[in-house]
Amino acid sequence: MAWWDYGYQITGIANRTSIADGNTWNHEHIATLGRTLTSEVKRAHNVIRHLADYVLVWGRGQRDDLGKSPHLARIGNSVFPDHCGDDDPKCNKFGFYSNKVPTPMMEKSLLYKLVEHNNKEGVSVNEKLFKHVHTTKHGLMRIYEVQNVSQESKDWIADPKNRICDAPGSWYCVGQYPPALNKLIAKRRNFAQIEDFNKKGEKSAYTRLIEKDQDESS
């Protein structure tokens, strides 16, 4: 698991399957990833243990994951209104104050803990949940092994009968989440795409806010 920016590199260089890559057409899936990475550590682990063996983060450099993370939180909240709340559609409670001190929500997040683990005084991740296994020479990329991975979910995903494709042998397979994540996925609200591909269901507060801004500026 990593933010989608690094998905193609993970696949091409490491020859490993990534949770997401540059093909970001499925907004709800990207929002699920953003919500998870910007959630509190235990809450994030409850999801990740059903999806991945490792988590990769990019930190301590220009345009690193912490710099991007308010954007991740906003994307997550655009589909999961319980993440920051309907009273904060743009997820302003997740980020840094002007003195570069993290907000409480940021400070508790998995992403912050993974990037700053043992780098900043008093910051560490629970290694019973995410075990640090690798940091590159200059400390820019860090990899953590997910502990207590669900073998039941891994077996379910690997079972061919749970693979949904548009035709037998097709390359186009939409993918499914393991049943253990059904409650999480049920919380998602449809995100209204600009192209009007996805207008069914209740809109999130974020979508309503963006549409209001567009109406006022037109």
Side-chain angles (χ1 to χ4, degrees):
M1 175 176 281
W3 188 231
W4 66 264
D5 293 14
Y6 323 119
Y8 288 140
Q9 290 94 323
I10 291 170
T11 301
I13 297 173
N15 194 29
R16 295 188 69 93
T17 301
S18 62
I19 296 296
D21 53 36
N23 181 13
T24 57
W25 62 271
N26 187 333
H27 182 88
E28 280 76 8
H29 177 63
I30 299 301
T32 304
L33 176 59
R35 176 191 189 272
T36 301
L37 290 171
T38 56
S39 289
E40 180 274 328
V41 175
K42 179 61 177 175
R43 188 185 193 191
H45 182 263
N46 289 338
V47 175
I48 296 173
R49 64 182 293 264
H50 296 287
L51 294 174
D53 297 304
Y54 294 90
V55 180
L56 179 151
V57 295
W58 187 264
R60 307 189 72 78
Q62 189 176 13
R63 298 179 181 177
D64 66 4
D65 281 345
L66 288 187
K68 300 172 186 175
S69 62
H71 186 52
L72 274 64
R74 283 194 294 273
I75 292 175
N77 199 56
S78 71
V79 170
F80 292 94
D82 67 326
H83 190 45
C84 296
D86 279 347
D87 61 333
D88 185 13
K90 293 187 177 181
C91 216
N92 292 321
K93 62 170 60 78
F94 188 98
F96 292 94
Y97 297 117
S98 57
N99 58 358
K100 298 185 179 180
V101 172
T103 63
M105 186 178 179
M106 162 75 86
E107 190 173 23
K108 294 176 182 177
S109 72
L110 174 64
L111 197 61
Y112 183 79
K113 298 287 190 183
L114 297 184
V115 171
E116 298 291 8
H117 176 68
N118 292 342
N119 281 329
K120 185 170 288 188
E121 184 177 355
V123 180
S124 62
V125 72
N126 183 350
E127 293 210 60
K128 292 182 179 179
L129 303 179
F130 298 95
K131 182 181 179 182
H132 175 241
V133 293
H134 182 68
T135 294
T136 52
K137 180 179 179 180
H138 299 291
L140 297 179
M141 188 189 75
R142 313 192 84 183
I143 297 175
Y144 295 80
E145 184 179 16
V146 182
Q147 303 299 291
N148 193 28
V149 169
S150 171
Q151 189 60 47
E152 182 179 0
S153 289
K154 289 188 74 169
D155 292 343
W156 188 92
I157 292 171
D159 190 336
K161 73 180 182 183
N162 295 321
R163 187 172 175 83
I164 298 178
C165 302
D166 65 342
S170 171
W171 62 270
Y172 180 70
C173 306
V174 295
Q176 295 191 91
Y177 298 98
L181 298 183
N182 284 348
K183 288 184 178 180
L184 171 67
I185 302 307
K187 293 180 179 180
R188 300 197 303 196
R189 290 185 189 170
N190 288 336
F191 181 80
Q193 305 284 1
I194 295 175
E195 298 87 351
D196 198 27
F197 289 148
N198 191 5
K199 290 285 187 180
K200 297 179 181 179
E202 185 182 2
K203 298 175 183 177
S204 70
Y206 180 81
T207 295
R208 295 196 299 271
L209 177 65
I210 295 304
E211 290 181 342
K212 179 175 179 292
D213 289 346
Q214 289 176 339
D215 289 342
E216 290 177 351
S217 63
S218 61

